[in-house]
Amino acid sequence: MKRRAFITLLGGAAAWPLAVRAQQTALPVIGWLSSGSRDSDDALRLPPFRRGLNETGYVEGRNVAIEYRQVEGRYERLAGYAVELVRRAVTVIVTAGGDPAAQAAKAATTTIPIVFASGADPVKLGLVASLNRPGGNVTGVTFVVAELGAKLLGLLHELQPGAVRVGVLVDPNFAPTQSFVSDVQAAALSIGKQIDVLVEASTGRDIDTAFASLAQKPIDALLVAPSPLFNNRRVQLATLAAYHRVPAIYPLRDFAEVGGLMSYGTSITEANRLAGVYVGRVLKGAKPADLPVMQSTKFEFVINLNTAKAFGLSLPPGLLAIADEVIE
């Protein structure tokens, strides 16, 4: 072999790892900005989100990368993490775990596409101009949260028609809370219930304190409002409700899966799958302004029969009949 050819061969061999690294860094990067924790995202949001991505041909680690930023309910950290993702020059930002994450992302960039999964009205929040024509760099999936109050209270009423005093546990830092409480109070008046025990909790320690205060003012049942904090603390909530023997209803099926008595709400699984589909479309070149905000309309009513037996509750046949799932 000639000396020049041999040197050329060596040079090419030395360049191979650089070429491989160049291919790896060329992957599009999704910025995952979440109000939740790593555990809650792994359990609730990321599996269906990845399924949605897969439906559009993207697989994490193969042809797309994901940068994770999770604040575990500490909303004040969202702005800084959003700026980090913008500086990282991610291809698209997806927000999860509530509206504060979407608002932080929108405040951080007007150019990088943003896909949200939101439980509030994205138009009222200023995320999009309209559902059909979002405009700008933001679109996503919206699902019902605030309007669920009446339905949750109605299910509690079917479970315990004689219950009078119903407590409501809320997170004052979660934007849809006020609308949710108004919905519950209006529904309570219509069926003769008394909602005079409204307990706030914005940290895990607050949740312990809330149940301690409820023990001082006994209630017949408890309604837990939607909140990323409560999603993250679902095991704590279900455990405390069982310890204090308070029949409770929750806004997500995941509460019932960890021991909560009943849950009713939008399927977060479906909402995050749809968000994954939209992120995949953005990665293929679609502009958020041209993607109408999707509305997730799948709801789930789940009863944990084991918890009902532990409480000594006899569930009405009609309630069992309309359940989408009964956990035994």
Side-chain angles (χ1 to χ4, degrees):
M1 182 182 294
K2 293 183 180 180
R3 183 171 181 273
R4 182 182 298 276
F6 180 68
I7 292 172
T8 301
L9 180 60
L10 284 178
W16 291 342
L18 294 175
V20 171
R21 284 198 295 272
Q23 288 180 343
Q24 290 175 338
T25 56
L27 292 180
V29 178
I30 298 168
W32 176 271
L33 182 65
S34 172
S35 300
S37 66
R38 184 60 184 265
D39 288 344
S40 66
D41 284 353
D42 284 344
L44 302 177
R45 305 178 184 97
L46 282 167
F49 173 75
R50 292 185 181 115
R51 284 198 298 275
L53 272 181
N54 294 349
E55 291 174 25
T56 60
Y58 289 96
V59 178
E60 183 182 7
R62 182 185 302 171
N63 57 358
V64 69
I66 304 179
E67 287 269 348
Y68 297 97
R69 299 291 187 277
Q70 290 136 324
V71 303
E72 301 184 353
R74 298 178 181 178
Y75 303 127
E76 69 277 5
R77 296 184 176 181
L78 286 166
Y81 281 157
V83 171
E84 280 187 21
L85 292 173
V86 171
R87 289 175 178 167
R88 171 72 173 77
V90 297
T91 312
V92 56
I93 297 174
V94 57
T95 67
D99 311 305
Q103 291 171 309
K106 181 176 173 62
T109 178
T110 58
T111 55
I112 296 175
I114 298 168
V115 175
F116 60 77
S118 169
D121 184 335
V123 178
K124 288 183 179 179
L125 287 176
L127 296 176
V128 297
S130 71
L131 297 181
N132 290 331
R133 298 179 180 275
N137 62 318
V138 184
T139 190
V141 183
T142 184
F143 49 91
V144 175
V145 169
E147 294 81 4
L148 286 180
K151 180 66 176 181
L152 291 170
L153 186 63
L155 291 170
L156 271 182
H157 178 64
E158 289 189 45
L159 174 68
Q160 292 188 304
V164 177
R165 301 188 75 233
V166 178
V168 182
L169 180 66
V170 301
D171 175 2
N173 294 327
F174 187 50
T177 292
Q178 186 174 355
S179 296
F180 180 87
V181 171
S182 298
D183 190 43
V184 172
Q185 290 174 332
L189 287 174
S190 68
I191 58 175
K193 298 293 183 184
Q194 182 181 353
I195 306 292
D196 62 351
V197 182
L198 185 63
V199 185
E200 295 185 348
S202 54
T203 67
R205 183 174 297 178
D206 287 347
I207 293 173
D208 290 330
T209 303
F211 273 88
S213 69
L214 289 173
Q216 301 298 317
K217 299 178 181 179
I219 57 175
D220 299 313
L222 177 67
L223 194 160
V224 177
S227 161
L229 169 68
F230 297 159
N231 299 348
N232 297 339
R233 296 284 183 164
R234 59 194 181 281
V235 174
Q236 179 186 4
L237 284 163
T239 302
L240 285 168
Y243 177 79
H244 291 281
R245 300 189 65 79
V246 178
I249 189 166
Y250 308 88
L252 288 177
R253 66 169 295 124
D254 305 85
F255 289 89
E257 290 179 348
V258 298
L261 177 61
M262 301 192 306
S263 68
Y264 179 84
T266 307
S267 171
I268 299 300
T269 296
E270 179 64 8
N272 282 281
R273 184 191 70 80
L274 293 173
V277 170
Y278 255 18
V279 169
R281 292 182 64 179
V282 169
L283 291 173
K284 290 185 174 182
K287 295 180 179 180
D290 300 328
L291 296 175
V293 174
M294 286 189 285
Q295 298 185 60
S296 180
T297 57
K298 182 179 179 181
F299 292 84
E300 299 172 309
F301 176 38
V302 182
I303 297 173
N304 190 313
L305 197 58
N306 292 323
T307 302
K309 290 177 180 177
F311 277 48
L313 294 172
S314 178
L315 295 175
L319 202 61
L320 290 169
I322 63 173
D324 295 287
E325 183 178 348
V326 177
I327 299 173
E328 300 186 59

